[in-house]
C-alpha cells in the first residue's frame, strides 16, 4: 500500500517547535479554501488560528491566485540592488501611506524575524552614523520578536531561548505598563535614556507571550516618554498589522507615531513569506553620505521577490475593500458575545478580546507538567473535532481568517464549550 503523506513526513522532516520523539504524526494537508483546510483523507479543518496568524483572507483566494499567475508569466525574480521592478515599487507606493505615522521609505526582507533584524540594524546604525553612542535596546519582558539571534535577543527569555541565553545581546527589559507601574517605568527609562537608542514593542497585544493585551493609553504614555528622550520607536506590527486589532494597524489606536514599523504575516495574506521594515525620512537621511561606511549593509538573495510583492498587492486590494473591515467587525461582535458566555465558566479566567482576537486562560492551578498534559489533551480534543486551535501554554485563543463564516465561528465556539465541559469533568 502507498504510504500516507503523514508517514513519509516522519522519515524525512524536522518540524518547527516540535519535540519529534513525542509529537503525534502531522496531518497531511492537500488543499485549502476559505477558512478550511482539507487533509489527505478528505476531512476538513477550520483554521481558527489563521495558520500561525498569517492568513487574513482565507486559503487559496482566487484574487491572489490570479495576480500570482499574471506576475508569474512576466518575471519570477531579479536582483534588487541596482535593479527594480513594478510590483516592488507599487507595493511601497500603496503601503506607506496607509501605515501609522509618517512612514516614507520601505526596506524589503524575507520574514518577520528579518524585518526585526533590519529594524534593529537601522536604529543602531542610525545613532552610529550620527556619531551618538546610543546602542542599547529596550523591549518588553514577555515580548516575542522572532527566532533569529537579534530578534531572540530583544524577545523575552524563556524555554524557547534557554539554550542560547548566554549568546544573546544585553537588552533593557520593561514590564508591561499598568496604572500602578507607569511612573516606575518612566523612572527606569530615565536612568538609561542616554544609552538607549530604540524601544521595540508589540503594540496592544503580546502575541506569542500569550495574547496578553494592554492599554493603548498607557503604551502611548510610555512612547511619548521615550520620544522626549530621543529613543527611537520600533512598532513590531507583524502580528497586529493588517486589521487584527480592530483598526488597520494597532498603532492607529496610539497617538505617538512610530519611527519604524515591522510587517510580515498578514502582509501577503498568508501565502509566501515576506518581511517589510519601513521608516521615516529622518532615519533614512542619516544613511545618506559620501562615506560608504554609512550604508545599510543588509540584504537577502530573494529581497523584494516580484511574485511575493504581487501577492502582497493582491492581499492589499482585498484588505482595503470595505467588505474586509465589515467582516472584522462581524467577527469582533461574535467574539464579544462568546466572551460573555465564557466568563461564566469556572474553568476559565481572563477572558479578553480585541479586534478579531479572542483569548482566555484555562484555570489549572497546577505545576508545569500538568500544563504539558493539558496541552496534549487540548491538542487531541480539537484535532478530533476538526478545529485547528493551538494553545499557548494554558492560554487558548481564536484568531481566524476574516472570511470565516458565522456558522464556522459557531462551530469553533461550540468545540471550546464542549472542551470545557469535558475538562471540568475529567480534570478540574
Ligand atoms: C511571528 C512574529 C515574528 C516573527 O516572524 P517570523 O516570520 O515567524 O520570523 C516577529 N514578531 C511578532 C510580533 C510575531 O508575531
Amino acid at each position: 500500500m502507498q504510504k500516507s503523506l503523514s508517514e513519509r513526513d516522519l522519515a524525512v522532516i524536522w518540524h518547527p517547535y516540535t519535540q519529534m520523539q513525542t509529537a503525534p504524526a502531522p496531518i497531511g494537508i492537500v488543499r485549502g479554501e476559505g477558512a478550511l483546510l482539507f487533509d489527505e483523507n478528505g476531512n476538513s479543518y477550520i483554521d481558527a488560528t489563521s495558520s500561525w496568524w498569517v492568513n487574513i483572507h482565507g486559503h487559496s483566494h482566487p484574487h491572489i491566485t490570479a495576480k500570482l499567475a499574471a506576475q508569474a508569466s512576466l518575471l519570477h525574480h531579479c536582483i534588487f540592488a541596482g535593479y527594480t521592478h513594478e510590483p516592488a515599487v507599487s507595493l511601497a507606493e500603496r503601503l506607506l501611506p496607509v501605515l501609522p505615522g509618517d512612514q516614507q521609505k520601505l526596506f524589503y526582507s524575507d520574514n518577520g524575524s528579518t524585518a526585526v533584524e533590519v529594524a534593529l540594524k537601522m536604529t543602531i546604525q542610525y545613532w552610529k552614523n550620527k556619531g551618538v553612542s546610543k546602542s542599547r535596546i529596550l523591549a518588553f519582558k514577555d515580548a516575542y520578536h522572532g527566532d533569529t539571534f537579534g530578534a531572540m535577543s530583544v524577545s523575552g527569555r524563556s524555554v524557547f531561548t534557554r539554550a542560547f541565553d548566554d549568546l544573546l545581546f544585553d537588552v533593557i527589559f520593561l514590564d508591561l505598563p499598568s496604572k500602578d507601574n507607569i511612573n516606575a517605568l518612566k523612572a527606569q527609562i530615565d536612568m538609561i535614556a542616554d544609552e538607549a537608542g530604540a524601544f521595540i514593542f508589540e503594540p496592544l497585544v503580546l502575541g506569542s507571550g500569550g495574547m496578553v493585551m494592554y492599554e493603548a493609553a498607557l503604551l502611548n504614555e510610555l512612547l511619548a516618554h521615550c520620544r522626549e528622550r530621543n529613543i527611537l520607536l520600533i512598532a513590531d506590527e507583524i502580528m497586529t498589522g493588517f486589521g487584527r486589532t480592530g483598526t488597520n494597524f494597532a498603532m492607529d489606536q496610539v497617538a505617538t507615531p512610530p519611527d519604524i514599523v515591522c510587517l510580515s504575516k498578514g502582509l501577503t495574506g498568508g501565502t509566501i513569506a515576506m518581511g517589510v521594515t519601513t521608516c521615516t525620512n529622518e532615519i533614512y537621511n542619516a544613511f545618506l553620505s559620501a562615506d560608504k561606511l554609512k550604508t545599510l549593509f543588509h540584504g537577502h538573495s530573494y529581497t523584494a521577490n516580484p511574485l511575493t510583492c504581487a501577492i502582497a498587492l493582491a492581499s492589499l486590494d482585498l484588505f482595503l475593500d470595505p467588505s474586509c473591515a465589515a467582516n472584522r467587525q462581524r467577527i469582533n461582535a461574535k467574539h464579544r458575545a462568546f466572551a460573555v458566555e465564557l466568563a461564566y465558566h469556572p474553568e476559565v479566567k481572563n477572558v479578553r478580546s480585541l479586534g478579531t482576537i479572542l483569548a482566555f486562560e484555562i484555570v489549572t492551578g497546577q505545576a508545569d507538567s500538568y500544563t504539558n498534559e493539558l496541552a496534549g489533551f487540548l491538542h487531541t480534543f480539537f484535532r478530533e473535532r476538526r478545529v485547528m486551535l493551538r494553545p499557548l501554554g494554558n492560554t487558548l485563543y481564536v484568531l481566524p481568517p476574516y472570511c470565516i463564516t458565522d456558522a464556522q465561528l459557531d462551530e469553533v465556539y461550540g468545540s471550546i464549550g464542549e472542551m470545557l465541559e469535558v475538562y471540568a469533568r475529567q480534570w478540574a
Side-chain angles (χ1 to χ4, degrees):
M1 221 183 79
Q2 212 181 342
K3 279 191 179 170
S4 70
L5 203 49
S6 173
E7 286 165 322
R8 283 163 52 209
D9 173 285
L10 287 176
V12 288
I13 305 286
W14 190 346
H15 285 271
Y17 307 113
T18 302
Q19 175 42 259
M20 297 304 294
Q21 179 163 305
T22 49
I27 296 169
I29 297 296
V30 292
R31 190 170 71 80
E33 190 182 336
L36 296 179
L37 288 165
F38 296 84
D39 75 8
E40 55 187 325
N41 301 313
N43 301 308
S44 67
Y45 297 78
I46 301 175
D47 189 354
T49 52
S50 299
S51 281
W52 261 341
W53 324 343
V54 299
N55 194 299
I56 54 178
H57 307 302
H59 293 277
S60 308
H61 195 288
H63 180 64
I64 292 179
T65 308
K67 292 289 183 181
L68 170 63
Q71 181 57 42
S73 66
L74 282 177
L75 175 70
H76 287 191
H77 188 62
C78 78
I79 181 171
F80 204 62
Y83 297 84
T84 192
H85 51 77
E86 176 65 31
V89 176
S90 290
L91 181 57
E93 285 173 346
R94 288 186 58 199
L95 194 54
L96 287 168
V98 299
L99 294 179
D102 189 23
Q103 301 298 304
Q104 298 283 358
K105 296 291 184 292
L106 184 154
F107 193 99
Y108 286 108
S109 66
D110 289 357
N111 54 59
S113 300
T114 59
V116 167
E117 298 287 343
V118 170
L120 296 173
K121 284 186 170 183
M122 275 182 185
T123 56
I124 291 166
Q125 194 177 343
Y126 168 85
W127 291 114
K128 285 245 160 79
N129 284 359
K130 287 179 89 83
V132 179
S133 167
K134 249 166 124 49
S135 60
R136 297 190 74 193
I137 310 283
L138 293 163
F140 284 130
K141 229 171 239 163
D142 293 321
Y144 176 76
H145 297 292
D147 284 350
T148 51
F149 265 82
M152 256 200 301
S153 294
V154 293
S155 298
R157 303 294 179 262
S158 71
V159 291
F160 290 84
T161 63
R162 184 113 1 122
F164 317 105
D165 278 356
D166 48 0
L167 295 171
L168 301 180
F169 64 72
D170 181 36
V171 166
I172 302 153
F173 284 112
L174 302 177
D175 286 325
L176 275 191
S178 68
K179 287 198 174 60
D180 298 332
N181 73 0
I182 185 77
N183 289 327
L185 287 176
K186 287 181 184 173
Q188 188 187 349
I189 291 168
D190 288 342
M191 301 245 303
I192 43 75
D194 287 348
E195 312 155 55
F199 174 31
I200 184 166
F201 55 93
E202 299 163 85
L204 307 188
V205 189
L206 304 192
S208 297
M211 296 297 158
V212 179
M213 298 175 188
Y214 65 105
E215 269 182 48
L218 291 167
L219 174 61
N220 187 50
E221 255 190 77
L222 211 53
L223 298 185
H225 195 78
C226 287
R227 165 121 329 130
E228 277 169 24
R229 280 146 192 81
N230 283 324
I231 298 169
L232 295 171
L233 306 175
I234 305 171
D236 178 349
E237 292 247 20
I238 291 165
M239 189 279 277
T240 53
F242 298 98
R244 233 355 126 185
T245 65
T247 42
N248 282 356
F249 296 89
M251 286 303 284
D252 294 339
Q253 298 174 46
V254 180
T256 305
D259 298 291
I260 291 181
V261 178
C262 301
L263 301 168
S264 185
K265 295 207 164 100
L267 172 64
T268 58
T271 50
I272 304 184
M274 183 164 74
V276 145
T277 309
T278 65
C279 68
T280 58
N281 273 342
E282 164 63 24
I283 291 181
Y284 175 77
N285 289 340
F287 290 77
L288 302 179
S289 170
D291 179 358
K292 262 206 134 180
L293 286 177
K294 297 204 168 167
T295 309
L296 180 62
F297 286 112
H298 189 99
H300 300 276
S301 314
Y302 282 98
T303 291
N305 175 257
L307 298 172
T308 317
C309 291
I311 283 174
L313 279 164
S315 181
L316 195 60
D317 292 338
L318 299 172
F319 176 67
L320 295 175
D321 190 280
S323 65
C324 180
N327 265 332
R328 279 146 45 201
Q329 271 167 23
R330 173 181 59 86
I331 295 168
N332 177 261
K334 284 192 69 82
H335 274 354
R336 281 159 177 264
F338 184 56
V340 174
E341 268 179 59
L342 271 177
Y344 288 108
H345 274 273
E347 294 77 29
V348 162
K349 65 175 178 185
N350 295 334
V351 184
R352 54 204 182 266
S353 73
L354 182 70
T356 58
I357 310 170
L358 169 76
F360 64 90
E361 275 125 63
I362 297 170
V363 178
T364 59
Q366 312 274 331
D368 270 3
S369 59
Y370 187 84
T371 311
N372 284 338
E373 267 184 74
L374 174 69
F377 160 72
L378 294 173
H379 185 90
T380 313
F381 187 91
F382 290 114
R383 224 167 128 135
E384 281 170 359
R385 272 150 195 83
R386 313 255 185 266
V387 173
M388 283 185 177
L389 284 173
R390 203 185 144 87
L392 295 159
N394 64 332
T395 300
L396 197 61
Y397 67 93
V398 184
L399 190 155
Y402 307 148
C403 67
I404 193 168
T405 65
D406 283 352
Q408 287 166 338
L409 264 180
D410 288 337
E411 215 174 309
V412 174
Y413 300 151
S415 73
I416 291 173
E418 227 185 293
M419 179 278 292
L420 288 170
E421 276 170 38
V422 174
Y423 177 77
R425 260 183 276 126
Q426 296 183 2
W427 291 69

